[in-house]
Amino acid sequence: MQFLEQVSKEIGKCLHEFKVIVVKSTVPVGTSDKVKQWIKESCSQADDFAVVSNPEFLREGSALYDALQPDRIVIGSDCRQAITILNKLYEQACCPILITSSSSAELIKYASNSFLALKISFVNELAKLCDHLEIDIQGVAEGMGLDHRIGEHFLQAGIGYGGSCFPKDVDALLHTSKKHGVDLTILEKVVEVNKTQPLYMIEKIRNMLGSLKEKKVGILGLAFKPHTDDLRESPSLKILQVLDEEKAIVQVHDPVATLPSSTFSSHITQCETPYLAATDADAILICTDWPEYRQLDWKKINKLLKHPYLFDGRNMLDAHMLSQLGFLYEGVGKKSGVHSSTLL
């Protein structure tokens, strides 16, 4: 917010004719009004501008596609002239354009990301039940997603969400709700589930290996999602922390991301290839669903492992195929011996 205040006042000093100031950042509800006030404080022509909230809905790793093919455009302003200018800017867009207040636009961004986070935590909770019932969560999620009211997106069970958006935006919405004396109890549970989800996979590994002390674990993937080197709030870091605390020996690989200095340890090393990460390991764990991991020579990896334990933290691999190669496969709500559904 201090940076927003700084740039708002700088803009105010430069205004000499009508201008539209567009806030694209994900900001707390009411920020556009603050931007307007900050500009007025340093602007001699206090009424010769408009502030518009126009939140971006870009996914990390596919921002260009999302910018050119948006699902919707939200314009938050009470200035008719500013709305006309923004509509002209987006006249080539083939998607719904919603005109609303600036505060509503700001809340839409937080609410959207929080709901997606909710879907992830919900399917992760359901996956735990599937483990006990010996049901494949992927078939359940597919059956749910075919309902257009639910949709297929963000129903992939795994070790939890991370990145720069979901954790921050959910926390921000919870902060706003508490500030106004409103409890968002469902959202509080979303955060709780996500924090414990990486530990659920650690527990699966313990059940197979017993004590993790001096056990060698290969980790495939550091980034919170594929096609980025972003480690912010990545579930893999929580897993590395626990493995290090329990004195496991960890061999890590990621195609682009590198271990942060905060994880430096005599027990953790980064490998140049997935095959080196698997060499002599007691188990291997997938933390990021990089497409190249699907193309690995898994028969070769099986031979490199000390024990054929494969933990798929992203449910990205074919459990049946891997079991035929001799792996003892365990996903999240997904086991090698559990029947999966087929869509005809």
Side-chain angles (χ1 to χ4, degrees):
M1 293 296 288
Q2 64 182 352
F3 299 122
L4 270 176
E5 180 178 2
Q6 180 182 345
V7 75
S8 297
K9 291 181 177 179
E10 288 296 320
I11 288 172
K13 295 174 184 178
C14 302
L15 288 179
H16 303 294
E17 57 183 350
F18 182 82
K19 289 289 187 295
V20 178
I21 293 88
V22 181
V23 181
K24 297 291 293 180
S25 301
T26 303
V27 291
V29 176
T31 296
S32 293
D33 292 334
K34 288 185 178 181
V35 169
K36 189 182 299 183
Q37 183 60 40
W38 289 327
I39 293 174
K40 283 183 178 180
E41 290 174 6
S42 59
C43 179
S44 58
Q45 296 171 292
D47 295 321
D48 203 16
F49 70 93
V51 176
V52 177
S53 175
N54 178 217
E56 52 84 7
F57 299 96
L58 310 179
R59 296 168 296 168
E60 191 166 348
S62 14
L64 179 59
Y65 176 85
D66 293 339
L68 299 177
Q69 305 289 335
D71 292 323
R72 78 286 204 192
I73 292 167
V74 177
I75 299 173
S77 177
D78 56 4
C79 174
R80 189 176 299 275
Q81 185 177 358
I83 293 170
T84 299
I85 291 172
L86 265 291
N87 270 326
K88 180 69 174 176
L89 178 67
Y90 289 120
E91 64 182 356
Q92 299 298 321
C94 299
C95 69
I97 297 178
L98 176 66
I99 309 298
T100 185
S101 68
S102 59
S103 294
S104 293
E106 291 160 346
L107 184 56
I108 286 168
K109 173 65 176 181
Y110 280 118
S112 297
N113 279 356
S114 295
F115 187 77
L116 296 177
L118 184 152
K119 290 184 74 174
I120 294 170
S121 284
F122 176 79
V123 78
N124 281 336
E125 284 274 82
L126 206 59
K128 295 175 183 177
L129 178 62
C130 286
D131 274 334
H132 287 279
L133 298 176
E134 295 191 347
I135 297 172
D136 187 346
I137 183 60
Q138 289 184 302
V140 175
E142 185 175 8
M144 292 169 58
L146 290 172
D147 187 327
H148 70 275
R149 297 169 300 176
I150 298 173
E152 63 179 309
H153 300 294
F154 292 88
L155 287 179
Q156 291 75 41
I159 54 175
Y161 60 78
S164 62
C165 291
F166 285 6
K168 170 181 64 67
D169 292 353
V170 172
D171 285 345
L173 187 53
L174 284 171
H175 176 77
T176 299
S177 70
K178 290 185 182 299
K179 182 180 177 181
H180 292 274
V182 177
D183 291 328
L184 298 181
T185 52
I186 293 177
L187 212 53
E188 290 171 356
K189 286 295 181 182
V190 167
V191 175
E192 182 182 330
V193 170
N194 195 62
K195 286 181 177 178
T196 59
Q197 196 64 20
L199 303 179
Y200 181 63
M201 185 55 78
I202 289 285
E203 192 59 34
K204 283 175 172 280
I205 297 174
R206 282 200 200 96
N207 290 338
M208 286 284 195
L209 301 182
S211 171
L212 296 177
K213 186 177 181 180
E214 297 184 355
K215 297 290 174 58
K216 190 176 288 187
V217 180
I219 300 288
L220 298 186
L222 284 170
F224 85 95
K225 64 182 286 188
H227 310 298
T228 177
D229 64 354
D230 197 342
L231 295 175
R232 285 174 289 183
E233 303 291 335
S234 178
S236 66
L237 298 184
K238 180 65 175 178
I239 288 173
L240 286 176
Q241 178 187 345
V242 174
L243 291 174
D244 188 43
E245 289 172 353
E246 300 197 16
K247 308 301 181 185
I249 301 167
V250 185
Q251 301 173 159
V252 179
H253 173 267
D254 189 282
V256 297
T258 57
L259 282 167
S261 57
S262 59
T263 61
F264 283 169
S265 165
S266 59
H267 297 102
I268 303 174
T269 58
Q270 184 154 7
C271 302
E272 292 185 3
T273 72
Y275 302 104
L276 287 174
T279 300
D280 293 327
D282 294 287
I284 194 162
L285 167 61
I286 299 176
C287 289
T288 312
D289 49 339
W290 284 99
E292 41 264 69
Y293 290 158
R294 290 191 180 90
Q295 309 305 321
L296 293 177
D297 184 343
W298 285 99
K299 188 175 182 179
K300 176 180 177 180
I301 287 180
N302 195 330
K303 292 178 180 178
L304 292 171
L305 290 169
K306 188 182 298 181
H307 301 293
Y309 296 135
L310 173 57
F311 297 90
D312 187 352
R314 294 300 181 184
N315 287 355
M316 65 177 293
L317 300 177
D318 185 328
H320 179 68
M321 181 271 289
L322 290 164
S323 65
Q324 287 186 322
L325 292 177
F327 283 98
L328 294 173
Y329 174 95
E330 182 102 15
V332 184
K334 176 182 177 184
K335 301 178 188 293
S336 58
V338 175
H339 174 71
S340 183
S341 302
T342 302
L343 185 64
L344 299 178

